[in-house]
Amino acid sequence: MTDRKVRVRFAPSPTGPLHMGGVRTALFNYLFAKKHGGDFLLRIEDTDQNRFVPGAEEYIIESLNWCGLQFNEGPGIGGNYGPYRQSERKSLYKKYADQLLESGWAYYAFDTPEELEAIRLEAEKDGEVFSYGIQTRGKLCNSLTLEKNEVEKRVATGENFVVRFKMPENTNVTENDIIRGEVTFYTNALDDKVVFKANGMPTYHLANVVDDYLMEISHVIRGEEWLSSMPLHVLLYKALGWENTKPRFAHLPLILKPVGKGKLSKRDGDKMGFPVFPLKWEDKETGETFHGYREDGYFPEAFINLLALLGWNPGTEQEIFSKEELAGIFSLERVVKSGSRFDPEKAKWFNKHYFQQKTDAELTELFKPVLKEKQVTASDGKVLKVVSEVKERCQFVAELWEQGSFFFLVPESYDEKTVQKRWLPETPGQLTAICGVFDSAGNWEQPLIKEAFSNFMNEKGWNFGAVMNPLRLCLVGGNVGPDLFKICEILGKEETVSRIKTAIKKLAEF
RNA sequence: GGCCCGUUCGUCUAGGGGUUAGGACGCCAGAUUUUCAUUCUGGUAGCAGGGGUUCGAUUCCCCUACGGGCUACCA
């Protein structure tokens, strides 16, 4: 089985937007496939039409594309094992349910959902939990308890029935999970899961096993929430006679909330100010919108990098990886067993790294749309200079504006604290004198401006800090920003002098 | 409740019978920057608890606690 071609699948259900845990599952599948020269497929598990959400499948595909997790087979692109939507494979499953029925691995059950619900409620009253299985199936309405011809009659007359897997008694099911090692389940504690529903659709369990078999999946890499159904799936392979091509299983740890209890959920993001979805998502029913990494300014390479390190590590101290690098060294054996809390701060750090990695020209291109949105017009040359000056203090493209808007906009107000501290009675006079120095300056370049300024200051014997701080205030509106003379240079001589004069005028009114 | 999985700094993690328990994020401090930020340097902080096994357990075993998942004609 080890010499089988590696074929893995990401099999989401289109019940809403894919969240970052799902993206990580897709990523690990993708990396595993790439590492072993295998195939990575996308399969849409839409056996429950009640939970179908329009747009969800498109969202999943767009998310995968944004992350660069290209699949080799799947909806839209096809492949030799299609179709890749379970709803389009509906006709395939019945014969396998029948096969289970014939071989005695499954039975018909006629209990209605209402009847079962009533039994459940009754059990609950006694502080017990009802389970349709070994202990109870003999007392319920199914082909195990009914006369044979009664069963045939019910099936023939089209009475609603369901097919349940007949869990074998007193059996230990042991399976070697790649991440967790040997895991053993005792069948008496398991229930008889429905494998085929009354509406003619298989449940997840049957569809999943049948499709993995038919699509020649070699490794099932999925979230830990599926670990409990591993024995059912293992038994299904056995019952269907597919043990020889049974895939290996790997159950990934879950991603947990940054604080508090439980796994990361839809709403955690907005509460704490970070996205839990790759892309922005609008819930058509409630009108709620959820943030996406893409729209929040994260680079896909950063997103992939942070996801990869959440629950996996290379065993070295390296933390920055490209997708290609990851594909070269990824291994399921190095996936951790415990759930990981997601840390939004570290996510920002990753983005900062990739942000700093970009060239000034690249960032300029990314910044231009922001400028346009702010209705600012400026030459590419100036934008490039601004980017070059402020990039080192940013983590996101949007921050270029926060850090550099004063290059394009005259300050509307002046930071009060700085005014109080730095705007002294002699300040206007000194700054007026500096304007004179600037006016007569020759080449308007940072070193020369600084030189002219310094010479004048020394001549006058003025304190540098006492003049530079108010000067910065005039140009920026506060006490932040890059090198003061670089700001002067980028602003240009006229604009610099003009801003100083404007500030003197405005602050005199105080 | 039952079954299954897990537990190393606040967080992500390395390690694994004898280590000064390593790194990263965060935080704090110093240096540089006549501003702020960056950058650099340094620091803070951890093996859940109890029993074994052993010359020696953070590492192996058991128990407890805690955390997580599953327990639908959902996936």
Side-chain angles (χ1 to χ4, degrees):
Chain A
M1 248 190 358
T2 41
D3 52 358
R4 254 223 285 183
K5 167 148 174 124
V6 167
R7 285 175 56 83
V8 296
R9 83 296 193 281
F10 176 53
S13 154
T15 54
L18 187 61
H19 105 340
M20 56 190 292
V23 179
R24 191 191 57 167
T25 301
L27 172 65
F28 284 13
N29 271 283
Y30 171 90
L31 294 175
F32 186 77
K34 290 294 163 239
K35 167 73 195 252
H36 296 96
D39 299 325
F40 169 56
L41 24 168
L42 174 66
R43 185 173 72 218
I44 300 296
E45 309 230 327
D46 54 351
T47 50
D48 184 5
Q49 52 272 73
N50 298 326
R51 298 212 311 159
F52 177 80
V53 173
E57 182 185 315
E58 291 75 7
Y59 179 97
I60 290 166
I61 293 174
E62 197 183 344
S63 298
L64 258 24
N65 286 151
W66 181 64
C67 294
L69 304 180
Q70 192 51 250
F71 42 91
N72 309 98
E73 300 168 28
I77 65 167
N80 296 329
Y81 299 80
Y84 293 91
R85 275 181 208 100
Q86 289 182 331
S87 57
E88 294 169 10
R89 302 170 65 80
K90 182 174 176 182
S91 59
L92 286 172
Y93 306 109
K94 187 170 187 304
K95 77 179 227 204
Y96 297 106
D98 288 341
Q99 189 186 327
L100 291 171
L101 251 8
E102 279 159 30
S103 58
W105 278 97
Y107 58 90
Y108 292 103
F110 303 98
D111 321 83
T112 65
E114 293 73 26
E115 285 164 359
L116 293 176
E117 189 52 29
I119 298 172
R120 269 191 200 98
L121 254 31
E122 196 59 35
E124 221 170 281
K125 265 188 221 161
D126 305 333
E128 280 163 20
V129 178
F130 168 72
S131 162
Y132 204 124
I134 294 166
Q135 278 78 27
T136 54
R137 62 187 171 214
K139 302 181 202 99
L140 292 152
C141 186
N142 53 51
S143 58
L144 266 19
T145 56
L146 262 26
E147 291 295 325
K148 193 170 178 229
N149 48 15
E150 169 69 13
V151 172
E152 280 164 5
K153 200 183 88 191
R154 289 192 183 215
V155 172
T157 55
E159 181 171 333
N160 273 352
F161 67 83
V162 95
V163 178
R164 284 183 183 271
F165 187 74
K166 190 180 172 195
M167 195 52 74
E169 291 181 47
N170 309 320
T171 310
N172 275 321
V173 178
T174 299
E175 186 66 14
N176 198 283
D177 184 280
I178 297 173
I179 295 169
R180 282 147 216 285
E182 282 201 347
V183 183
T184 300
F185 297 83
Y186 188 52
T187 53
N188 291 23
L190 270 23
D191 58 349
D192 291 348
K193 280 271 176 290
V194 171
V195 291
F196 201 79
K197 302 188 254 191
N199 66 5
M201 279 297 261
T203 60
Y204 166 82
H205 303 290
L206 216 219
N208 187 266
V209 167
V210 167
D211 287 345
D212 283 347
Y213 167 73
L214 261 17
M215 294 181 178
E216 295 179 25
I217 297 303
S218 62
H219 299 260
V220 170
I221 305 166
R222 66 211 329 187
E224 194 187 338
E225 68 267 32
W226 296 110
L227 188 56
S228 317
S229 25
M230 184 164 69
L232 205 217
H233 298 176
V234 167
L235 255 13
L236 240 15
Y237 281 98
K238 185 179 181 187
L240 262 358
W242 299 338
E243 271 184 308
N244 290 338
T245 51
K246 183 182 64 178
R248 291 272 268 133
F249 292 92
H251 289 94
L252 269 20
L254 266 16
I255 298 178
L256 276 18
K257 296 177 189 294
V259 293
K261 292 181 172 188
K263 60 176 176 178
L264 189 60
S265 75
K266 208 165 151 182
R267 265 163 246 285
D268 289 325
D270 291 338
K271 257 186 295 192
M272 302 193 51
F274 68 88
V276 308
F277 298 109
L279 275 31
K280 189 173 135 190
W281 170 262
E282 189 178 342
D283 188 319
K284 297 262 163 35
E285 274 183 24
T286 64
E288 271 179 299
T289 59
F290 296 92
H291 282 248
Y293 279 87
R294 182 177 66 183
E295 290 74 13
D296 279 18
Y298 284 83
F299 297 112
E301 12 345 353
F303 186 51
I304 288 301
N305 198 154
L306 75 91
L307 245 26
L309 272 290
L310 205 54
W312 173 86
N313 74 81
T316 66
E317 281 170 3
Q318 185 179 347
E319 289 201 285
I320 299 296
F321 294 97
S322 68
K323 197 159 52 87
E324 291 67 32
E325 258 180 301
L326 288 168
I329 59 172
F330 181 78
S331 88
L332 287 171
E333 285 75 13
R334 291 208 65 89
V335 172
V336 302
K337 295 181 180 68
S338 50
S340 344
R341 271 183 200 279
F342 173 64
D343 180 5
E345 288 306 316
K346 186 110 186 202
K348 287 184 195 160
W349 176 82
F350 275 110
N351 207 64
K352 177 180 169 184
H353 172 85
Y354 286 96
F355 181 95
Q356 296 301 332
Q357 211 78 346
K358 302 261 184 225
T359 64
D360 292 355
E362 286 171 324
L363 290 175
T364 298
E365 286 311 306
L366 293 169
F367 189 33
K368 274 153 75 174
V370 178
L371 255 17
K372 194 175 175 190
E373 192 187 312
K374 302 286 181 190
Q375 299 182 320
V376 163
T377 48
S379 70
D380 282 10
K382 179 175 177 180
V383 178
L384 186 74
K385 276 186 166 186
V386 171
V387 164
S388 152
E389 280 311 305
V390 302
K391 68 178 276 196
E392 68 182 23
R393 46 227 300 150
C394 300
Q395 304 177 309
F396 296 95
V397 170
E399 285 176 344
L400 288 169
W401 175 253
E402 290 165 30
Q403 296 294 331
S405 61
F406 65 85
F407 280 108
F408 308 100
L409 267 27
V410 179
E412 283 181 0
S413 62
Y414 301 93
D415 180 65
E416 232 170 276
K417 271 191 179 164
T418 312
V419 173
Q420 276 171 11
K421 192 175 167 195
R422 304 289 189 179
W423 201 265
L424 306 173
E426 63 270 30
T427 303
Q430 291 173 322
L431 290 178
T432 304
I434 294 297
C435 279
V437 174
F438 284 170
D439 267 330
S440 53
N443 274 345
W444 193 252
E445 281 166 16
Q446 190 259 1
L448 299 169
I449 303 166
K450 184 175 181 179
E451 193 189 332
F453 177 86
S454 302
N455 288 343
F456 183 74
M457 291 293 288
N458 285 330
E459 209 175 285
K460 290 283 185 184
W462 289 344
N463 177 289
F464 276 69
V467 180
M468 284 177 78
N469 283 300
L471 178 53
R472 175 178 293 278
L473 188 67
C474 299
L475 303 181
V476 178
N479 63 341
V480 296
D483 179 81
L484 186 53
F485 302 105
K486 196 71 197 177
I487 294 175
C488 293
E489 179 193 310
I490 295 173
L491 247 24
K493 186 196 280 190
E494 276 176 39
E495 178 68 12
T496 301
V497 171
S498 151
R499 285 193 186 188
I500 296 170
K501 289 181 174 163
T502 303
I504 291 173
K505 209 180 294 171
K506 279 196 177 177
L507 287 167
E509 292 160 11
F510 257 125

